[in-house]
Amino acid sequence: DKQAAMTSAELGNPAFAWVAEGAIDLRQVDTLKAFIEECPYPPAPPDVLTEEYWVSAEAARSQPQNPVEELVGQLLQRSDLTDIIGKDVAGANWSWHDYLDTDEPKVYHTDCNRRLVNFETVETNPQWSSVVYLTDEGGSTAIWRGNEFVAVQPCRGRYLVFKGDLAHGVLHAHEPLGRDRIILSITWWMHDHEATGVRERPVGPRLSTGGTATELAMAAEPGSSCQLTAIRPIPYSVSFAEHRNEWGAQQLPAALWVPRDIGKAPAHVAVAYADDVDDDWWRFGR
């Protein structure tokens, strides 16, 4: 059973998460990290409760003002991404998270913009969420849909995409080293009026390496190691109740841990538990 839980297969429901290895060149990773270190934190616009930057798809493609915007433009040229998120996205909100792998991880949540309308908080989910991993350190990103659970470990240059209304969060590092876990969060929006990211656009350097149309097309070709590939949870003959406490504590269940192989991208965990899982298990009684 444990061995089966570590393997991906073309089974069950349509995919809800995809990952690409080495989607971001390591020199680009270094440029993004350096920019983030100096970039001012985005101010929240009036009546908005979330702090992110916004860039339209058109601006990212034609007139990027910093390496994150340039990356957004490059991603939008990848057919493997647009096959998932569509070609008509209005743009992207972006922000970053940087903390030690010994710190308490970010709690379970859904990505959403929060704004005040007539003194009431209105929440809007993006169509798609995504994560660019800028370090190898820290805990996995856990995402789930019903009884299907996915955990993706950090790896420099790895790119993760998942449906924007799904709950997710960061797990405790399995072997914390007291190092920074840094990720870039990019959420994709179909309608710009729903995205509350600040419209001020910080200025920064260009990415270290280019992403020509030919290079981006090659990266998205089937069989390329850089292509976005669906993560398919496979049946796992264990009740969720056996692992609920570990998931609730934001820890990868010990039975699912996959050691890292030196020189190889760390493996994902993708399982479908044998029983149904309450949609709100992560909100109550954790």
Side-chain angles (χ1 to χ4, degrees):
D1 289 341
K2 180 177 178 180
Q3 181 61 38
M6 306 311 162
T7 309
S8 180
E10 297 289 326
L11 295 172
N13 296 329
F16 61 86
W18 295 256
V19 71
E21 307 299 342
I24 318 302
D25 182 276
L26 294 185
R27 286 170 291 180
Q28 293 182 333
V29 167
D30 290 338
T31 299
L32 291 164
K33 285 175 61 179
F35 170 67
I36 284 171
E37 288 178 0
E38 302 297 328
C39 185
Y41 205 73
D47 297 327
V48 172
L49 306 177
T50 44
E51 299 169 321
E52 297 174 295
Y53 287 109
W54 162 263
V55 62
S56 70
E58 180 180 358
R61 291 189 186 102
S62 61
Q63 293 182 319
Q65 293 192 3
N66 59 63
V68 176
E69 293 186 354
E70 188 173 356
L71 175 63
V72 169
Q74 288 186 6
L75 290 171
L76 287 173
Q77 295 180 62
R78 293 181 55 127
S79 60
D80 58 340
L81 178 63
T82 56
D83 284 347
I84 297 168
I85 70 172
K87 297 181 179 180
D88 298 324
V89 294
N93 276 350
W94 61 271
S95 60
W96 64 92
H97 304 284
D98 178 359
Y99 51 83
L100 291 175
D101 62 6
T102 52
D103 291 342
E104 285 296 311
K106 187 168 184 180
V107 299
Y108 293 145
H109 62 284
T110 57
D111 288 337
C112 65
N113 284 166
R114 297 180 178 88
R115 60 190 186 277
L116 294 176
V117 178
N118 297 325
F119 304 104
E120 297 287 339
T121 300
V122 176
E123 297 184 352
T124 308
N125 299 112
Q127 276 65 47
W128 299 93
S129 296
S130 66
V131 177
V132 178
Y133 295 96
L134 303 181
T135 61
D136 295 328
E137 288 73 31
S140 299
T141 303
I143 317 156
W144 60 89
R145 178 184 63 185
N147 68 333
E148 300 175 303
F149 282 67
V150 165
V152 176
Q153 296 189 63
C155 182
R156 276 164 49 90
R158 175 175 275 176
Y159 183 53
L160 168 67
V161 182
F162 55 96
K163 292 179 68 66
D165 60 351
L166 293 178
H168 60 282
V170 179
L171 304 180
H172 287 275
H174 186 75
E175 298 174 338
L177 302 171
R179 297 176 183 171
D180 286 328
R181 181 190 193 273
I182 307 174
I183 65 97
L184 176 65
S185 171
I186 301 174
T187 56
W188 302 101
W189 298 78
M190 294 299 294
H191 306 292
D192 58 1
H193 67 274
E194 293 181 346
T196 58
V198 65
R199 265 52 178 176
E200 298 173 16
R201 298 166 62 197
V203 176
R206 299 297 298 269
L207 283 173
S208 300
T209 56
T212 66
T214 300
E215 292 169 336
L216 293 165
M218 291 177 61
E221 286 182 354
S224 167
S225 62
C226 298
Q227 184 191 28
L228 282 163
T229 303
I231 305 174
R232 303 280 185 178
I234 65 139
Y236 187 45
S237 56
V238 168
S239 169
F240 176 70
E242 294 188 30
H243 290 169
R244 179 175 182 138
N245 288 342
E246 290 169 286
W247 284 117
Q250 292 185 233
Q251 295 176 341
L252 183 69
L256 301 180
W257 171 246
V258 182
R260 292 188 183 221
D261 290 333
I262 297 176
K264 296 182 179 179
H268 318 305
V269 168
V271 298
Y273 283 101
D275 51 352
D276 293 333
V277 178
D278 181 3
D279 289 341
D280 289 326
W281 73 268
W282 58 282
R283 296 181 186 273
F284 309 107
R286 287 164 43 196

